[in-house]
């Protein structure tokens, strides 16, 4: 696989830039319920506004435009518009039957744009990361305070759902599978198990990025793991990278990146929010402010992949990319 070789060569030579927030950019379009529905879903039984993954089918030009803006800003890796692309999450919209198509088409859009930019500059190949979000269920915790043993989902149900999503993302042209915003490591293990099954069945090597989320100042994931425990829990596979995204701003994420960077042989990734949300849920941190904080990661040699999560825009990614260009990546042993 040519892209695989290019990817591992790139990560050994420089800090790779991941794109920024898809949701933040989609908000700028102010899409109405009718925009989300498009012609195809105009008579759908339930409300569809807020189903951002669906926009890959009903507003593909907007998704393509967002991807292009991130590549123009300097991104090496584009995330597909599939954060909620499982049957579990799509059940909210009664769209379970559309999951394969949603993921396949989303990957195709990102693939097309990446290929266009790679042709323009072959020395900076661009890569597609199939985004696999955490779903809205947790395998480790009970949603019922009166019944701590109850689970709303099983490991096998998660595995089946993740496998379907991962296969569609690969078929659509993803180079990488990104298991992200992990708040429950058991959910992530189901996704990793499914991806490993695909590797065996298809006899291929899939570059995997794993990104957890530290939910509060205690430094733990929602299911109670420290950064070090999280790293140990996902290190059974040969990962492209492990790291953290979301929940915290760049400054707050530093100690957790330090904790795993010193103990992992894999690449380390970070894509924090643009600071912490204000009282209205908005992110106020400017591109230059965020880049200033990210500089600490670079000076300490903590990371191999850097991008942005909630509240980040192409402006943030450009500021980070311009800065990262001046630094060497963290040293890792790259093996395909």
């Amino acid at each position: 696989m040519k892209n695989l070789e290019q990817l591992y060569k790139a990560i050994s030579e420089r800090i790779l830039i991941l794109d920024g927030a898809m949701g933040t950019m989609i908000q700028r379009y102010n899409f109405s319920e009718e925009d989300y529905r498009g012609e195809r879903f105009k008579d759908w039984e339930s409300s569809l506004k807020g189903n951002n993954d669906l926009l890959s089918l009903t507003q593909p030009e907007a998704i393509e435009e967002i991807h292009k803006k991130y590549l123009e800003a300097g991104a090496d890796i584009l995330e597909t518009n599939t954060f909620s692309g499982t049957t579990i999450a799509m059940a909210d919209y009664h769209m379970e039957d559309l999951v394969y198509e949603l993921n396949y088409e989303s990957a195709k859009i990102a693939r097309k744009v990446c290929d266009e930019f790679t042709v323009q500059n072959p020395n900076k190949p661009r890569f597609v990361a199939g985004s696999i979000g955490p779903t809205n269920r947790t395998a480790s915790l009970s949603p019922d305070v009166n019944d701590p043993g109850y689970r709303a989902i099983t490991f096998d149900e998660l595995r089946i759902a993740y496998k379907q999503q991962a296969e569609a993302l690969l078929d659509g042209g993803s180079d990488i599978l990104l298991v992200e915003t992990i708040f429950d490591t058991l959910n992530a293990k189901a996704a990793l198990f499914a991806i490993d099954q695909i590797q065996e069945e298809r006899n291929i090597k899939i570059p995997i990025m794993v990104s957890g989320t530290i939910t509060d100042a205690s430094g733990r994931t929602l299911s109670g793991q420290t950064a070090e425990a999280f790293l140990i829990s996902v290190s059974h596979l040969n990962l492209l990278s492990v790291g953290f995204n979301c929940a915290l701003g760049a400054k707050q994420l530093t100690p957790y990146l330090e904790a795993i960077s010193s103990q992992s042989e894999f690449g380390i990734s970070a894509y924090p929010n643009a600071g912490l949300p204000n009282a209205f849920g908005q992110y106020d941190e400017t591109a230059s402010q965020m880049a200033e904080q990210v500089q600490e990661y670079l000076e300490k040699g903590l990371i191999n992949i850097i991008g942005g999560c909630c509240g980040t825009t192409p402006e943030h990614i450009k500021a980070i990319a311009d800065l990262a260009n001046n630094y060497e990546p963290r040293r890792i042993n790259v093996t395909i």
Side-chain angles (χ1 to χ4, degrees):
M1 288 170 71
K2 181 167 166 258
N3 280 17
L4 193 65
E5 289 169 12
Q6 286 184 322
L7 173 62
Y8 279 84
K9 182 172 185 286
I11 198 171
S12 66
E13 292 176 348
R14 57 195 167 87
I15 295 168
L16 298 184
I17 307 300
L18 191 67
D19 61 5
M22 175 62 75
T24 300
M25 295 300 288
I26 286 173
Q27 282 174 0
R28 292 183 172 185
Y29 288 83
N30 290 315
F31 285 134
S32 65
E33 175 72 31
E34 287 67 35
D35 294 324
Y36 273 88
R37 287 173 177 267
E39 186 59 30
R40 180 174 166 187
F41 302 104
K42 70 178 195 296
D43 299 322
W44 200 258
E45 62 202 53
S46 55
S47 171
L48 297 178
K49 190 173 181 183
N51 185 355
N52 287 350
D53 295 20
L54 182 63
L55 296 172
S56 294
L57 303 184
T58 57
Q59 303 290 339
E61 299 85 4
I63 302 304
E64 186 173 325
E65 186 176 49
I66 291 167
H67 283 326
K68 280 184 176 169
K69 284 179 177 169
Y70 279 124
L71 291 182
E72 284 163 358
D76 298 287
I77 303 170
L78 279 185
E79 295 175 69
T80 55
N81 179 39
T82 55
F83 187 80
S84 300
T86 56
T87 49
I88 297 160
M90 280 295 147
D92 290 353
Y93 303 98
H94 310 289
M95 287 190 152
E96 296 95 322
D97 291 344
L98 286 164
V99 160
Y100 184 91
E101 184 185 358
L102 281 171
N103 285 280
Y104 180 80
E105 292 299 329
S106 294
K108 257 178 77 174
I109 294 168
R111 174 83 276 150
K112 172 177 173 273
V113 182
C114 277
D115 288 347
E116 286 171 5
F117 275 73
T118 300
V119 167
Q120 290 169 21
N121 183 2
N123 293 324
K124 187 179 168 69
R126 313 299 178 101
F127 306 99
V128 178
S131 167
I132 299 175
T135 83
N136 47 10
R137 305 283 178 91
T138 166
S140 289
L141 304 168
S142 171
D144 182 354
V145 292
N146 298 313
D147 186 359
Y150 172 70
R151 296 292 180 271
I153 193 95
T154 67
F155 184 89
D156 210 46
E157 286 169 336
L158 285 164
R159 177 191 63 80
I160 291 164
Y162 283 131
K163 191 173 183 212
Q164 181 188 18
Q165 181 180 24
E167 286 176 329
L169 288 169
L170 291 168
D171 293 347
S174 297
D175 302 299
I176 301 161
L177 290 180
L178 167 57
V179 183
E180 64 169 319
T181 321
I182 299 162
F183 59 80
D184 181 350
T185 310
L186 194 55
N187 283 36
K189 279 179 169 289
L192 294 174
F193 188 74
I195 294 167
D196 204 29
Q197 278 188 308
I198 298 167
Q199 289 192 122
E200 283 186 30
E201 288 168 9
R202 299 191 178 192
N203 195 25
I204 56 172
K205 160 71 180 171
I206 303 168
I208 306 166
M209 293 175 65
V210 170
S211 185
T213 187
I214 301 289
T215 48
D216 59 34
S218 73
R220 292 173 183 265
T221 64
L222 188 66
S223 55
Q225 285 189 310
T226 61
E228 294 91 335
F230 170 72
L231 172 65
I232 292 164
S233 297
V234 298
S235 292
H236 55 291
L237 287 181
N238 182 20
L239 305 174
L240 176 71
S241 70
V242 63
F244 295 109
N245 73 292
C246 204
L248 302 176
K251 195 176 183 61
Q252 293 83 6
L253 209 53
T254 307
Y256 311 118
L257 291 174
E258 286 177 321
I260 62 169
S261 181
S262 61
Q263 296 184 38
S264 178
E265 298 172 6
F266 308 132
I268 298 294
S269 69
Y271 50 116
N273 292 347
L276 297 174
N278 62 25
F280 303 102
Q282 303 296 312
Y283 294 87
D284 300 323
E285 203 163 85
T286 65
S288 60
Q289 286 171 330
M290 189 171 177
E292 200 177 300
Q293 293 176 26
V294 163
Q295 189 162 358
E296 187 178 2
Y297 304 171
L298 302 169
E299 287 173 350
K300 291 181 173 178
L302 298 178
I303 53 167
N304 303 90
I305 300 172
I306 179 74
C309 205
C310 305
T312 59
T313 64
E315 292 76 27
H316 290 83
I317 298 306
K318 184 176 190 316
I320 290 168
D322 289 348
L323 181 66
N325 211 22
N326 303 317
Y327 290 86
E328 291 290 310
R330 174 178 161 275
R331 304 317 310 166
I332 50 172
N333 292 322
V334 178
T335 53
I336 295 178

